[in-house]
């Protein structure tokens, strides 16, 4: 990308020099150094450019009620204090992560990505690389070993292509599920299920007591539902685990996936809320936070919501427990991070400076302290103070140490059009208009178009 930019810049500079040679003296400001007997000439435009901070565009969904919003606000405040005279971060607020992803795809198609893109759990990186819109971060990371050591080799390798680094993550996201201990106790359930058979027995017990067992959704990729699904697939046996760990699978016609979809169909029909079909993550989350459902699959970022009195009742966090999935599984894989898509070198340099500021170890420690975000750096350990501050986080990390099956989310591993197809077909599955086998066939047809 830069080679082309540099060549283009040189051509433009040459043309400009010819044009400027014909300009009148009123466009220039002369400075004479009498001690050296030399005169330097600088255009007023150049002087102005040198004095103005470089502006970079940073759209984000980590705003408003998003649990990461307080951390981002603090990062921006600190960055402004330190770099405000050199770099101006223009924040564009896009509430809702799906709305953010949809907008990034539109900008990607138009060749107009912003300077900094947060891929997070979505595979936007490969889409952007295919359009040659990503800045190679290799030289920046090699020039700053301390920043590079803020990430594991696995995370860097996951965000690399052909030996070049293109992205960096700021955190790790082990994803299990949360359960309402109070609702469990009401029906005599002592703790999280060890097997899927036990899990569905618990669902029956809760249902008989008039408690809706699980939060689910189908719109916007069906995030919560897919977490249940892929855990069933991954813990079903070697073939299921291989499929669950496959990136960009094209054949969904396998027994593990079809059996998982059969269970998802049953869960839609018996064990979840009526708004799950067609509902978004927000519906699923609200149902759990209001005590309407007993379980929700989600990541550790939701822990902050349990303590947010604007989202749930006071003391709700004390009712919640965290668990790994039945069958001894957990989402625990390298994740996509931020990547830079600046169109010129000055903006790229400025964007990387900001990226360093929000992803280095100091920033990761700030995230751990402020919102309980698990650091990406292998050298940061959870102190007793942090464990006491975020007991659910400590509980999940302790449980994850003995996990047997680890796998990525479907959102990061499937082709984007397959993720979209899941959402569009899930309602038909839920109502029984299509079978799990037909669902798998339609997913395969969509994947094969890539």
């Amino acid at each position: 990308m830069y080679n082309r930019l540099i060549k283009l810049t040189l051509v433009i500079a040459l043309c400009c020099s010819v044009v400027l040679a014909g300009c009148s003296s009123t466009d220039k400001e002369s400075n004479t150094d009498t001690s050296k007997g030399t005169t330097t000439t600088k255009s007023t435009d150049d002087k102005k450019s040198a004095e103005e901070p470089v502006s970079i565009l940073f759209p984000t969904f980590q705003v408003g009620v998003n649990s990461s919003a307080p951390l981002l606000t603090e990062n921006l405040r600190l960055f402004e204090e330190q770099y405000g005279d050199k770099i101006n971060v223009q924040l564009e607020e896009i509430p809702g992560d799906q709305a953010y992803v949809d907008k990034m795809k539109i900008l990607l198609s138009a060749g107009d990505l912003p300077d900094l893109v947060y891929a997070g759990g979505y595979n936007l990186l490969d889409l952007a690389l295919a359009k040659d819109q990503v800045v190679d971060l290799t030289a920046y990371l090699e020039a700053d070993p301390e920043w590079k050591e803020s990430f594991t080799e696995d995370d860097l390798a996951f965000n690399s292509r052909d030996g070049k680094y293109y992205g960096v993550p700021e955190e790790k996201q082990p994803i299990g599920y949360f359960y309402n201990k109070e609702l469990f106790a009401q029906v005599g359930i002592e703790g999280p299920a060890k097997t899927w058979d036990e899990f569905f027995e618990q669902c029956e017990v809760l249902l008989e007591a008039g408690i809706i067992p699980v939060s689910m959704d189908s719109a916007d990729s069906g995030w919560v539902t897919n977490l249940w699904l892929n855990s069933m697939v991954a813990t079903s046996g070697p073939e299921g685990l291989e499929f669950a760990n496959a990136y960009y699978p094209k054949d969904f016609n396998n027994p593990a996936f079809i059996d998982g979809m059969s269970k998802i169909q049953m869960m839609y029909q018996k064990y979840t809320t009526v708004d799950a079909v067609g509902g978004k993550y927000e519906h699923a989350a609200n149902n759990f936070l209001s005590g309407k459902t007993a379980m929700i699959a989600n990541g550790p970022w939701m822990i902050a919501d349990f303590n947010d009195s604007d989202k749930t009742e006071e003391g709700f966090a004390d009712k919640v427990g965290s668990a790994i999935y039945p069958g001894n599984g957990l989402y625990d894989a390298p994740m996509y991070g931020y990547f830079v898509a600046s169109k010129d070198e000055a903006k790229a340099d400025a964007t990387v400076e900001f990226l360093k500021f929000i992803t280095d170890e100091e920033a990761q420690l700030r995230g751990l302290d402020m919102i309980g975000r698990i650091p990406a750096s292998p050298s940061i350990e959870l102190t007793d103070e942090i464990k006491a501050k975020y007991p659910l986080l400590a509980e999940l990390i302790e449980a994850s140490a003995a996990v047997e099956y680890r796998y990525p989310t479907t959102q990061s591993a499937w082709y984007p059009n397959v993720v979209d197809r899941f959402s569009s077909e899930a309602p038909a599955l839920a109502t029984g208009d299509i079978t799990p086998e037909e669902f798998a066939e339609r997913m395969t047809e969509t994947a094969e178009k890539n």
Side-chain angles (χ1 to χ4, degrees):
M1 172 182 263
Y2 274 145
N3 289 337
R4 294 209 313 271
L5 285 171
I6 291 171
K7 290 176 182 175
L8 180 62
T9 302
L10 288 173
V11 170
I12 294 172
L14 181 60
C15 294
C16 289
S17 66
V18 172
V19 174
L20 287 173
C23 292
S24 70
S25 58
T26 57
D27 293 325
K28 299 177 181 178
E29 175 181 288
S30 296
N31 299 306
T32 301
D33 185 338
T34 54
S35 64
K36 296 179 181 178
T38 60
T39 300
T40 60
T41 303
K42 181 183 291 184
S43 73
T44 53
D45 286 344
D46 285 347
K47 185 177 180 180
K48 180 180 179 183
S49 176
E51 294 172 348
E52 290 182 348
V54 178
S55 291
I56 60 173
L57 182 59
F58 176 38
T60 179
F61 60 85
Q62 296 177 348
V63 295
V65 296
N66 187 283
S67 58
S68 296
L71 175 62
L72 178 59
T73 299
E74 179 66 1
N75 281 338
L76 288 168
R77 185 188 69 78
L78 294 172
F79 187 79
E80 169 69 20
E81 283 184 0
Q82 191 167 340
Y83 294 94
D85 60 334
K86 299 175 182 175
I87 301 171
N88 174 32
V89 180
Q90 295 180 323
L91 195 72
E92 180 184 355
E93 298 188 359
I94 305 177
D97 52 351
Q98 189 61 44
Y100 171 83
V101 171
D102 290 344
K103 180 160 186 177
M104 290 306 106
K105 288 179 180 178
I106 292 171
L107 294 175
L108 179 61
S109 298
D112 194 28
L113 280 174
D115 293 293
L116 188 59
V117 178
Y118 177 62
Y122 300 89
N123 185 6
L124 296 172
L125 177 61
D126 286 306
L127 294 174
L129 281 169
K131 297 280 188 179
D132 194 22
Q133 294 186 43
V134 187
V135 173
D136 180 2
L137 297 179
T138 307
Y140 293 106
L141 283 159
E142 297 298 351
D144 190 342
E146 189 174 345
W147 183 42
K148 185 180 178 183
E149 289 172 2
S150 300
F151 318 102
T152 66
E153 287 297 327
D154 286 346
D155 283 336
L156 289 176
F158 188 69
N159 286 274
S160 300
R161 300 292 184 274
D162 299 325
K164 297 178 180 178
Y165 301 122
Y166 288 105
V168 292
E170 62 186 335
E171 62 180 316
K172 289 189 173 298
Q173 293 185 347
I175 302 173
Y177 73 95
F178 300 105
Y179 62 97
N180 188 316
K181 293 185 290 187
E182 190 173 82
L183 294 180
F184 269 31
Q186 287 180 21
V187 297
I189 297 176
E190 295 182 351
K194 302 296 184 187
T195 67
W196 287 106
D197 286 343
E198 185 184 359
F199 172 80
F200 287 112
E201 289 172 6
Q202 291 181 348
C203 287
E204 278 296 319
V205 171
L206 289 162
L207 190 65
E208 289 174 3
I211 300 170
I212 300 174
V214 293
S215 282
M216 294 176 69
D217 55 4
S218 68
D220 292 353
S221 84
W223 166 253
V224 174
T225 300
N226 263 305
L227 291 178
W228 292 117
L229 167 65
N230 213 37
S231 290
M232 294 177 197
V233 174
T235 57
S236 64
E239 292 182 358
L241 183 63
E242 182 179 2
F243 179 79
N245 272 296
Y247 282 87
Y248 313 121
K250 288 195 172 182
D251 187 1
F252 290 75
N253 297 304
N254 63 78
F257 182 78
I258 292 172
D259 183 63
M261 289 311 305
S262 297
K263 291 183 171 68
I264 289 297
Q265 186 178 48
M266 177 178 65
M267 291 168 69
Y268 271 135
Q269 295 175 348
K270 290 185 66 178
Y271 300 134
T272 192
T273 54
V274 293
D275 62 359
V277 179
K280 300 180 179 181
Y281 162 77
E282 287 80 3
H283 298 101
N286 287 336
N287 286 327
F288 184 74
L289 290 167
S290 65
K292 190 173 184 179
T293 58
M295 293 177 277
I296 185 171
N298 204 8
W301 56 85
M302 194 180 191
I303 292 173
D305 292 344
F306 303 150
N307 292 292
D308 188 342
S309 58
D310 291 332
K311 298 180 180 179
T312 187
E313 63 179 326
E314 291 283 352
F316 184 75
D318 296 333
K319 299 179 181 179
V320 180
S322 61
I324 61 173
Y325 292 95
N328 209 4
L330 182 76
Y331 289 91
D332 185 17
M335 60 179 290
Y336 295 106
Y338 288 95
F339 65 84
V340 177
S342 299
K343 298 172 184 60
D344 65 62
E345 191 167 3
K347 283 183 177 291
D349 288 347
T351 305
V352 170
E353 202 65 49
F354 178 62
L355 180 59
K356 284 183 184 180
F357 192 85
I358 62 173
T359 60
D360 65 11
E361 284 198 2
E362 185 175 347
Q364 292 179 34
L365 278 168
R366 191 157 52 243
L368 175 61
D369 181 57
M370 284 188 65
I371 62 172
R373 175 178 286 173
I374 301 175
S377 171
S379 62
I380 298 177
E381 297 181 355
L382 265 63
T383 63
D384 290 340
E385 183 181 359
I386 289 295
K387 290 177 182 177
K389 188 174 182 179
Y390 300 106
L392 277 176
L393 185 67
E395 188 177 307
L396 180 62
I397 291 176
E398 182 180 355
S400 69
V403 161
E404 186 174 0
Y405 304 109
R406 301 173 190 272
Y407 36 88
T409 64
T410 58
Q411 200 167 260
S412 63
W414 292 355
Y415 287 109
N417 63 337
V418 177
V419 173
D420 293 341
R421 189 69 186 269
F422 183 96
S423 286
S424 64
E425 296 294 339
L429 178 85
T431 57
D433 290 338
I434 61 173
T435 66
E437 290 80 3
E438 291 170 327
F439 189 95
E441 185 58 40
R442 294 182 186 188
M443 295 285 279
T444 301
E445 289 173 358
T446 304
E448 288 177 342
K449 293 178 181 177
N450 294 284

